């Protein structure tokens, strides 16, 4: 089954993270990691993770040909359940948040997400991400021929033999 460029671009967009670590130490204190976990739980990520994954699969499956859509969804759900669950990724998420925010900042964020406004913001994040993903997919779809040509040109340039230096 050939994934089209829109699906690949969507999955690539979702899989890469532009987070830069503020912490240079590779060893994080257990209390710092715990603060990150508490923050992520306050955001509701532990509860919303499966729903966000389903929305991601649904959005990317919409780009698949109808006759392949059910199989695509089944394969993606099986794959995601095997590798992309909160339980499997929690420690990694805690680490990247702990690297990005100080322990004190995580505690402040947790306090915010435990307020009524923080809970509202948390409940909207998944929907807002979904809507943003749809916008991104539409932009790619609107300019797909240009993107395909750019990819083709880049791949041809990569395949061209390098000029010899004399």
């Amino acid at each position: 089954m050939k994934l089209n460029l829109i699906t690949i671009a969507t999955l690539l967009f979702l899989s890469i993270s532009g987070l830069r670590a503020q912490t240079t130490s590779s060893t994080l204190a257990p209390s710092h990691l715990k603060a990150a976990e508490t923050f992520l739980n306050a955001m509701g990520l532990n509860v919303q993770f499966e729903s966000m994954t389903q929305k991601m699969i649904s959005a990317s499956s919409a780009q698949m040909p109808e006759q392949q859509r059910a199989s695509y969804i089944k394969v993606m759900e099986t794959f995601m359940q095997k590798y992309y669950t909160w339980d499997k990724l929690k420690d990694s998420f805690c680490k990247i948040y702990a690297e990005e925010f100080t322990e004190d900042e995580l505690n402040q964020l947790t306090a915010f997400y435990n307020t009524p406004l923080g809970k509202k913001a948390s409940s909207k994040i998944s929907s807002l991400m979904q809507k943003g993903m749809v916008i991104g997919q539409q932009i790619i779809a609107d300019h797909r021929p240009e993107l395909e040509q750019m990819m083709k040109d880049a791949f041809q340039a990569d395949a061209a033999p390098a000029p010899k230096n004399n």
Side-chain angles (χ1 to χ4, degrees), residues 11-165:
L11 291 175
L12 179 62
F13 175 76
L14 293 172
S15 68
I16 58 175
S17 166
L19 295 178
R20 293 179 317 173
Q22 289 180 352
T23 305
T24 56
S25 171
S26 61
T27 305
L28 297 163
S31 62
H32 196 163
L33 292 169
K34 185 63 177 168
E37 182 178 356
T38 302
F39 163 64
L40 293 170
N41 289 340
M43 278 184 43
L45 190 56
N46 58 330
V47 176
Q48 297 176 18
F49 198 82
E50 186 176 337
S51 171
M52 288 188 292
T53 301
Q54 285 300 317
K55 288 178 181 178
M56 183 173 64
I57 292 170
S58 177
S60 62
S61 72
Q63 305 301 320
M64 297 301 297
E66 183 68 37
Q67 68 273 18
Q68 296 174 334
R69 194 167 296 149
S71 294
Y72 174 85
I73 291 170
K74 183 177 179 182
V75 167
M76 288 301 294
E77 286 175 344
T78 300
F79 181 86
M80 297 301 237
Q81 188 60 38
K82 185 175 182 181
Y83 297 108
Y84 199 83
T85 65
W86 176 247
D87 288 337
K88 288 179 174 56
L89 297 175
K90 175 181 72 169
D91 290 344
S92 296
F93 275 91
C94 290
K95 185 174 187 274
I96 63 171
Y97 276 83
E99 289 173 341
E100 186 66 21
F101 298 101
T102 67
E103 187 172 345
D104 183 56
E105 289 170 334
L106 288 165
N107 291 332
Q108 291 177 50
L109 286 166
T110 299
F112 168 72
Y113 277 99
N114 282 324
T115 67
L117 178 59
K119 289 177 182 182
K120 179 180 180 180
S122 177
S123 73
K124 302 288 184 183
I125 287 173
S126 178
S127 173
L128 292 168
M129 288 177 62
Q130 173 81 17
K131 290 175 182 178
M133 192 168 38
V134 169
I135 291 168
Q137 288 175 335
Q138 188 59 53
I139 289 170
I140 292 170
D142 290 348
H143 302 282
R144 184 177 176 168
E146 180 183 354
L147 176 60
E148 288 175 343
Q149 185 61 51
M150 290 171 70
M151 289 289 191
K152 182 179 174 185
D153 293 347
F155 295 155
Q156 285 176 344
D158 288 345
K164 291 183 179 183
N165 293 333

